[in-house]
Amino acid sequence: MLSEPVLTARPEDGRDVPLLVWRADGPLRAVSSAPLGGGIGVRHWVVNATVPMSYDRDDPADHLAELADRLGLDGPGVGLLTGVDVAEVVARTDTGVRIWATVGLGTPVWAAAPAPAAPVQRVGTVNVVAYVPARLGDAALVNAVATATEAKAQAIAELGVPGTGTPTDAVTVLCPVDGPESAYGGPRSTWGAPLARAVHAAVTAGGAGTVVPWSDRPAG
């Protein structure tokens, strides 16, 4: 089982920078596109860390590993970064599937758009963390990422945002390591359907208002 996230902070450059921490009460199977702990494997925790919009470290995985070490997190885990204040996380549940999303749509892009002439300067990130209460096979885990991404894109379209996501979006799906294995994670499957509905609801709610990047807010 994956815990509810705990909001904490770490001191950086004279400010308390927020981050969310999920802990598991045992090993979980996971698939993720995160900088730290990406791919498919067993994971024990998840961190979603706010960073300033000026963030330019070229070693985000090492940075996240340092944060996890400071938090006393043991074993392999997943680490995500965002310019959004993670205190604004949106949670949704559907048929036992739990979703948490931090939604920043400041830099929407179309997935198949031509390459920009210059690098994108402002990062707006949609990070989705999902827990499915049944063991998913490898193919089902990969399919669950596609399902979550499709649901995110649907929500963004319905919000009237011109894009399918942002350049830095990430998805993490976790599930138990034991129990009967579900082979499917598509949007009409037993677990993919509630996953899609919950992601759609969370991204819709998170993107409905104006999201100000954490570092653009006055200190204190």
Side-chain angles (χ1 to χ4, degrees), residues 3 8 16-17 19 55 66 68 84 112 132 136 172-173 189 198 217:
S3 71
T8 183
D16 290 329
V17 189
L19 67 162
Y55 187 84
E66 292 166 8
V84 173
V132 176
L136 302 179
T172 300
V173 180
S189 66
R217 299 175 178 179

Side-chain angles (χ1 to χ4, degrees), residues 12-196:
E12 284 186 9
D13 299 324
R15 296 185 71 178
D16 290 329
V17 189
L19 67 162
L20 287 173
V21 184
W22 292 257
R23 291 177 169 86
D25 58 9
L28 297 174
R29 281 173 52 76
V31 61
S32 181
S33 60
L36 177 66
I40 295 177
V42 173
R43 305 290 183 259
H44 295 263
W45 48 265
V46 179
V47 168
N48 191 10
T50 295
V51 293
M53 297 301 284
S54 58
Y55 187 84
D56 61 357
R57 286 186 61 158
D58 58 6
D59 60 345
D62 290 341
H63 183 200
L64 285 159
E66 292 166 8
L67 296 180
D69 186 61
R70 289 185 216 167
L71 291 164
L73 298 172
D74 296 324
V78 173
L80 306 142
L81 296 171
T82 178
V84 173
D85 184 345
V86 295
E88 297 181 351
V89 64
V90 178
R92 292 292 185 270
T93 301
D94 191 307
T95 321
V97 175
R98 293 186 291 154
I99 297 294
W100 300 270
T102 49
V103 184
L105 295 171
T107 311
V109 296
W110 296 105
V120 174
Q121 297 300 314
R122 290 181 65 81
V123 178
T125 301
V126 181
N127 282 338
V128 173
V129 175
Y131 177 76
V132 176
R135 184 184 179 198
L136 302 179
D138 286 355
L141 282 171
V142 174
N143 206 354
V145 171
T147 295
T149 303
E150 290 172 13
K152 175 199 71 177
Q154 179 182 338
I156 290 170
E158 292 172 359
L159 287 166
V161 176
T164 51
T166 86
T168 52
D169 292 354
V171 177
T172 300
V173 180
L174 305 105
C175 68
V177 297
D178 300 317
E181 185 174 278
S182 294
Y184 305 107
R188 292 299 175 264
S189 66
T190 299
W191 296 110
L195 172 69

